[in-house]
Amino acid sequence: MTLQRFEPAPGPGGKVEFDEKGNSAALFTILMILAVAGCYAMGAKKEEFWLAHNCWSIGSMADLIQSHNYGALINPLLLSNFASFNMLHMGLTMYFFWVFGGHIESRIGTARYLPLVLFGCTLPWLLLQFEAGSMRSMTYFGALFIQCAIIGGYVVIPPKPLKAYGQGTVQPKNQIFKKEERKDPRSKYIANPLTFIAVFVGCQAFFHFWCNTGIPNPIQQGTWWLAPFGKTFDTFRLFPCILAFAIGYAVASMSVASASQALNEGPLAVQALRRYRELLDLDVKHEEALRGTARTLGLSYDKTKELIARNKNKMRIK
């Protein structure tokens, strides 16, 4: 069984270890990846026209808000979060969903991942509308805001580096000769989690300048390495990105803090949770798992049931 070590800790100088076993599959992340592909397919070969008529146009959204037609905001809001202006943009958007979103959803669970995604794909756009309200001709699109929210959670719950640069494989001594039961396909790419955040920032800066201003050719003045996609299109806005990151950070921090509350009840509570979940993993029914936990630890059935009810749906703490 592999363990993931996370910060912040529940107390001064302490550390929390969360059991990776039993984490949910990243099903919602897969749906978002498919949504990115679907949006690109809808606008293929007519990207500029499709983006202008389906994504978050400051002027169009302002008219809808002033007319109190809030229901009409839903479609451009959803499409804007997953739209791309070329295949490279689409491919890297899907890749970053896989790297960051897949990790966070599998760690905190889909039930806690959905609020993070929901707030991350809505509130930053409302801030964008308020902040950029004077730029009525601008159309914004792309998964940057929602991915910033996911990265906020990624900072709180980073993956454990499986390999440190120049130091060989980082692996517990008792597992040096032990073959892993199931290897995460992302494992060889997470040697340093901060490296992926830096790559993400670099890619988003590249797309921002390419889309809005283009990449000029420094050798032949007046020509382009990459011509601008359109002066009225953009993929980046600073303050909505900051808000999205704060949303992800807050949701992940609350998930960790909620799971860590079991430590305040003492080591017996942690042992009870562990024993209960071990029995469930053996396909023991809920009631039998409660009775088995109570017998093992010498607790009353009612006390065990109350303790498990408070903690069973939280992240698994070791």
Side-chain angles (χ1 to χ4, degrees):
M1 181 183 300
T2 57
L3 298 173
Q4 186 70 47
R5 190 176 297 261
F6 299 139
E7 302 271 358
K15 291 185 177 180
V16 181
E17 290 184 351
F18 291 101
D19 186 357
E20 291 184 358
K21 187 174 183 180
N23 289 329
S24 61
L27 298 178
F28 197 75
T29 297
I30 295 174
L31 291 178
M32 291 195 294
I33 291 173
L34 294 176
V36 174
C39 285
Y40 183 76
M42 286 189 287
K45 297 184 179 181
K46 52 182 185 296
E47 291 88 351
E48 186 172 345
F49 176 84
W50 188 87
L51 292 172
H53 288 80
N54 292 278
C55 292
W56 192 275
S57 172
I58 298 297
S60 298
M61 297 306 105
D63 294 339
L64 292 175
I65 293 173
Q66 289 175 0
S67 62
H68 303 288
N69 189 5
Y70 301 116
L73 296 175
I74 297 176
N75 191 58
L77 182 63
L78 292 176
L79 294 176
S80 298
N81 278 291
F82 305 107
S84 308
F85 71 97
N86 59 28
M87 291 190 68
L88 179 60
H89 190 202
M90 176 196 68
L92 285 175
T93 297
M94 297 167 71
Y95 175 72
F96 288 125
F97 270 131
W98 179 58
V99 171
F100 298 117
H103 167 73
I104 292 299
E105 183 177 4
S106 65
R107 294 299 179 267
I108 68 176
T110 301
R112 287 176 286 271
Y113 183 68
L114 288 179
L116 185 154
V117 170
L118 178 62
F119 292 131
C121 72
T122 53
L123 297 183
W125 291 96
L126 299 179
L127 176 60
L128 168 71
Q129 184 67 29
F130 172 79
E131 185 202 7
S134 61
M135 305 170 65
R136 291 182 60 89
S137 62
M138 290 297 296
T139 297
Y140 289 88
F141 65 95
L144 177 59
F145 299 154
I146 187 173
Q147 289 181 340
C148 282
I150 294 172
I151 289 176
Y154 187 85
V155 170
V156 177
I157 311 175
K160 181 180 179 181
L162 301 184
K163 185 176 183 181
Y165 294 119
Q167 298 179 9
T169 301
V170 178
Q171 195 170 22
K173 292 181 180 179
N174 63 343
Q175 294 184 7
I176 292 177
F177 301 105
K178 182 179 179 180
K179 185 178 180 180
E180 295 182 6
E181 295 179 2
R182 184 188 61 166
K183 188 174 183 180
D184 189 333
R186 292 165 298 188
S187 60
K188 63 181 180 180
Y189 300 109
I190 57 176
N192 187 340
L194 291 179
T195 299
F196 274 93
I197 296 178
V199 170
F200 172 81
V201 172
C203 288
Q204 299 308 318
F206 171 73
F207 286 128
H208 163 63
F209 286 110
W210 181 3
C211 180
N212 188 254
T213 62
I215 309 295
N217 189 333
I219 300 175
Q220 298 180 359
Q221 300 297 325
T223 62
W224 300 96
W225 270 352
L226 295 171
F229 177 72
K231 289 288 185 180
T232 58
F233 295 91
D234 206 349
T235 61
F236 169 78
R237 196 75 181 180
L238 179 60
F239 289 109
C241 288
I242 294 174
L243 174 61
F245 180 88
I247 289 170
Y249 189 93
V251 172
S253 295
M254 287 188 290
S255 297
V256 172
S258 176
S260 302
Q261 289 176 356
L263 295 179
N264 298 328
E265 302 183 45
L268 190 62
V270 177
Q271 291 292 336
L273 282 169
R274 179 191 297 176
R275 180 57 179 164
Y276 169 77
R277 287 163 175 162
E278 286 174 349
L279 292 172
L280 288 185
D281 291 337
L282 296 173
D283 293 329
V284 177
K285 293 183 179 180
H286 170 68
E287 289 295 330
E288 290 300 322
L290 287 176
R291 294 189 179 92
T293 302
R295 288 194 299 268
T296 301
L297 300 178
L299 298 173
S300 68
Y301 174 82
D302 292 336
K303 177 66 176 178
T304 303
K305 183 176 181 180
E306 178 187 355
L307 187 152
I308 297 301
R310 289 199 304 268
N311 294 283
K312 70 176 182 177
N313 292 323
K314 297 178 180 178
M315 294 170 66
R316 292 189 173 197
I317 195 169
K318 178 175 180 292

